[in-house]
Amino acid sequence: MTIHQNLIAGEWTGTNGTENINPSDTNEVVGLYASASAQDVTDAIAAAKAAFPAWSRSGILERHTILKKAGDEILARKDELGALLAREEGKTLPEAIGETIRAAQIFEFFAGEALRLAGEVLPSVRPNIGVEITREPLGVIGVITPWNFPIAIPAWKIAPALCYGNTIVFKPADLVPGCSWAIVDILNRAGLPKGVLNLVMGKGSVVGQAMLDSPVLSGITFTGSVGTGKRVALSSVEHGRKYQLEMGGKNPMVVLDDADLTVAVEAAANSAFFSTGQRCTASSRLIVTEGIHDRFVAALTEKLKTLNVDNAMKSGTHIGPVVDAKQLKTDTDYIEIGRQEGAKLAFGGELVSRDTPGFYLQPTLFTEATNQMRISREEIFGPVASVIRVKDYEEALATANDTPFGLSSGIATTSLKHATHFKRNAEAGMVMVNLPTAGVDFHVPFGGRKGSSFGPREQGKYAAEFFTTVKTAYTLA
């Protein structure tokens, strides 16, 4: 089997391949992917530094053309790349193709942004002096991405970094190197100069640590666990570099008595269980007022009975496998913790067997949970959700905000008064009304508050806040 190599200074390199295993069929090796050494990371950073002066001053049409070409190829290959994503991560094929299309749209958007780079010209408060305010590229950017969105998240970090004239050292999650390798290959063939984009695959303990230890990186953009995010922050403070963190959530979905029951159930099921619950925007706390509680639980339970857990590539599959054995154990451990804490297991919670060996877990619903239980405080990152009964809207809002996280927050209601109040008072970076807490557009800012995020927002024009630095220039007329 061909080894997919790392890209360093425009050259494909690496001989020791690590198997990429299909979680829907653990007998299938999706591909072999090289593992970088700490020295490889050092070389990649040096290459990116050497390439920065020329790329940072490259023409906007050159950047536009490369990004547009990459987006066009991703879109043209959406079925192929979507299948690769489904096979390596376990997301259902329709979800995987949808994510691939989103990646193409992100490149398309930033291709346009490359032609819209602008600044400001202002008068000084002093006579005969002009003031220019411009944005310049930050420098060499370390990009560290997670396994749950293996093509969209790399796209929304790499595309703006290139758009604004930065060079990149990119480390994808070692569980899902396939889509990342494909993006780098596409961009490399689209015409990026050598050293502008460098790919270093491998373990975080080796590759990631070498990136954190480097004083050369001007910034690190990271999506992943809270623990690793704190390490990124500490190392960045030590080296005086800019950092951007997206670290997870324990997102609430509030359901009020006046909610449309069908809308509420569909939003909750999508939020909590689609993509196998492996989304930082997934809603694992379903906060439901007393008047609708029993009807909501009954309707959601019936909905869960219709969801088919199976191979991600099979037609009719609603929920694919958990990504790997380690994450599956985390999920089942939390299910046991929920039982021990006194929550009622209303549905699911069992491992299931299918035609192919994989990490299959039923969607799991707890009821009679409290907001103080571990299953209500800690991010599980699996198809596990808890229903928390509350008295009224005021208690629902307080419970929703009672979390160390603040990424996404949702409400199901037909009350304009409550929807408006919730949008203004939910302590989250994103608020959804009568919609799933997961699922965002590619052209608007993404990010949260509290323990979920740190630094400037990602996506859309707000990406410039991280990937550029502001310069103010004065000229005597």
Side-chain angles (χ1 to χ4, degrees):
M1 188 176 290
T2 301
I3 295 177
H4 295 78
Q5 298 175 302
N6 291 303
L7 183 68
I8 300 174
E11 301 296 331
W12 294 105
T13 180
T15 56
N16 54 327
T18 300
E19 292 183 343
N20 184 7
I21 302 297
N22 182 349
S24 291
D25 182 357
T26 55
N27 290 328
E28 182 191 5
V29 177
V30 178
L32 294 178
Y33 293 84
S35 294
S37 66
Q39 185 58 51
D40 289 332
V41 176
T42 299
D43 293 343
I45 292 172
K49 182 180 180 181
F52 178 73
W55 180 251
S56 65
R57 291 168 176 78
S58 60
I60 59 174
L61 186 58
E62 179 183 2
R63 299 182 206 173
H64 164 83
T65 301
I66 291 171
L67 293 171
K68 178 69 165 58
K69 191 173 181 181
D72 288 346
E73 181 171 341
I74 292 170
L75 187 61
R77 296 171 58 192
K78 66 182 187 300
D79 294 333
E80 172 201 344
L81 294 174
L84 172 62
L85 196 164
R87 288 167 59 220
E88 72 169 353
E89 195 268 347
K91 197 167 292 184
T92 66
L93 185 58
E95 289 177 318
I97 292 173
E99 182 181 333
T100 303
I101 293 171
R102 180 179 175 186
Q105 292 169 332
I106 291 166
F107 276 100
E108 177 82 19
F109 176 86
F110 283 104
E113 285 296 281
L115 300 179
R116 290 188 286 267
L117 297 179
E120 297 178 81
V121 177
L122 301 174
S124 170
V125 296
R126 294 167 289 170
N128 302 318
I129 293 176
V131 181
E132 297 173 78
I133 303 171
T134 54
R135 287 189 175 274
E136 297 186 351
L138 187 61
V140 179
I141 305 293
V143 172
I144 303 176
T145 59
W147 51 259
N148 61 325
F149 282 87
I151 197 166
I153 292 180
W156 84 46
K157 294 179 186 293
I158 290 171
L162 295 176
C163 167
Y164 297 117
N166 300 281
T167 56
I168 299 169
V169 177
F170 170 36
K171 183 223 170 299
D174 60 330
L175 272 179
V176 290
C179 289
S180 295
W181 188 94
I183 282 183
V184 171
D185 175 57
I186 288 168
L187 282 164
N188 187 51
R189 289 185 290 98
L192 276 182
K194 291 183 178 183
V196 171
L197 174 60
N198 302 272
L199 173 67
V200 281
M201 300 177 287
K203 293 288 185 182
S205 58
V206 177
V207 177
Q209 190 60 50
M211 293 171 70
L212 299 192
D213 292 342
S214 173
V216 178
L217 295 180
S218 302
I220 292 183
T221 174
F222 167 83
T223 300
S225 69
V226 172
T228 304
K230 289 179 178 179
R231 289 173 55 207
V232 172
L234 288 171
S235 70
S236 297
V237 170
E238 179 183 352
H239 292 299
R241 66 173 166 244
K242 203 171 181 180
Y243 61 99
Q244 178 185 56
L245 309 177
E246 291 295 341
M247 297 176 291
K250 195 67 182 174
N251 308 295
M253 166 62 74
V254 170
V255 180
L256 299 184
D257 288 352
D258 60 30
D260 181 309
L261 185 60
T262 300
V263 170
V265 168
E266 289 297 322
N270 184 306
S271 297
F273 304 111
F274 283 24
S275 294
T276 323
Q278 296 174 156
R279 300 184 284 195
C280 54
T281 51
S283 181
S284 55
R285 292 187 299 143
L286 307 176
I287 301 166
V288 187
T289 50
E290 289 179 330
I292 199 173
H293 177 277
D294 292 351
R295 288 185 294 129
F296 173 81
V297 169
L300 180 56
T301 302
E302 289 302 309
K303 172 70 175 179
L304 295 183
K305 292 177 182 178
T306 69
L307 299 182
N308 184 32
V309 179
D310 209 331
N311 191 308
M313 294 293 290
K314 273 191 177 181
S315 176
T317 296
H318 299 106
I319 298 175
V322 175
V323 71
D324 71 347
K326 181 180 178 181
Q327 183 61 48
L328 182 61
K329 185 178 187 307
T330 297
D331 296 346
T332 55
D333 284 352
Y334 271 108
I335 291 169
E336 183 57 32
I337 288 168
R339 287 190 175 110
Q340 293 174 359
E341 288 181 314
K344 177 185 175 182
L345 185 60
F347 184 85
E350 300 295 328
L351 302 179
V352 293
S353 298
R354 292 296 180 255
D355 294 340
T356 51
F359 307 113
Y360 299 110
L361 176 65
Q362 287 180 312
T364 303
L365 183 68
F366 282 104
T367 57
E368 307 308 323
T370 70
N371 205 47
Q372 286 67 49
M373 293 177 176
R374 285 183 64 190
I375 57 171
S376 302
R377 307 299 297 179
E378 300 170 10
E379 186 174 40
I380 300 171
F381 221 64
V384 183
S386 305
V387 178
I388 300 170
R389 187 196 301 258
V390 294
K391 181 176 65 175
D392 52 23
Y393 169 73
E394 286 71 26
E395 185 181 357
L397 176 63
T399 303
N401 288 337
D402 180 16
T403 173
F405 297 102
L407 183 55
S408 185
S409 191
I411 187 169
T413 180
T414 56
S415 164
L416 179 61
K417 172 185 174 182
H418 286 142
T420 301
H421 188 272
F422 189 82
K423 284 189 288 185
R424 290 176 179 169
N425 292 278
E427 296 173 359
M430 297 176 291
V431 180
M432 312 293 184
V433 178
N434 295 321
L435 289 166
T437 54
V440 295
D441 293 342
F442 63 88
H443 68 303
V444 296
F446 177 96
R449 297 164 60 172
K450 300 192 277 190
S452 288
S453 305
F454 183 88
R457 291 291 190 260
E458 298 193 277
Q459 297 199 130
K461 65 181 182 180
Y462 286 80
E465 297 296 329
F466 178 75
F467 291 104
T468 64
T469 184
V470 175
K471 176 181 283 183
T472 305
Y474 294 85
T475 304
L476 177 62

